[in-house]
Amino acid sequence: MVLAELSLYPLGKGESVGDYVARCLKIVEQSGMDYQCHAMGTTVEGDLDGVMGVVKRCLEDLATDCARVECLVKIDYRKGYSGELTSRVARVEERVGHALKK
């Protein structure tokens, strides 16, 4: 399993790109993978092929009406671990002694 932080957005479409981000989030949701959306991107947990498939589908979707798309992907692979999308935060919260802001 991998955790992948994704950030995809078109260039040249103005200051607000929320509609394009929403299109990508629909693709992430349809994948069935666990995910968390945050202010600067979306973190997805799944197998590497599945995650990269989601990235590809997002790029292809945006490319239908965007001449240029920027895509940032950060991947963390850790053998033998799953459920890290929430458990990593829980372990840090345990160390600091309280729930973190979400």
Side-chain angles (χ1 to χ4, degrees):
M1 296 294 254
V2 299
L3 286 180
E5 184 176 55
L6 316 175
S7 181
L8 294 101
Y9 48 87
L11 300 178
K13 293 291 187 176
E15 289 184 23
S16 178
V17 294
D19 289 340
Y20 299 98
V21 172
R23 285 167 45 183
C24 289
L25 280 169
K26 287 180 183 177
I27 292 168
V28 170
E29 287 179 334
Q30 290 168 356
S31 76
M33 286 186 248
D34 286 337
Y35 73 94
Q36 288 182 349
C37 179
H38 50 88
M40 298 294 290
T42 301
T43 304
V44 178
E45 183 172 24
D47 65 83
L48 181 59
D49 288 339
V51 168
M52 295 311 292
V54 166
V55 172
K56 182 180 180 195
R57 287 191 295 280
C58 290
L59 278 168
E60 290 172 344
D61 181 82
L62 295 183
T64 61
D65 60 339
C66 301
R68 190 170 184 186
V69 177
E70 182 142 325
C71 175
L72 305 171
V73 180
K74 180 168 59 173
I75 296 175
D76 182 6
Y77 166 77
R78 189 169 184 191
K79 189 174 187 173
Y81 282 76
S82 63
E84 290 290 279
L85 192 63
T86 55
S87 62
R88 282 188 184 186
V89 175
R91 289 192 298 268
V92 172
E93 289 176 333
E94 185 177 310
R95 287 180 173 107
V96 298
H98 60 82
L100 300 171
K101 287 185 176 182
K102 298 200 177 128

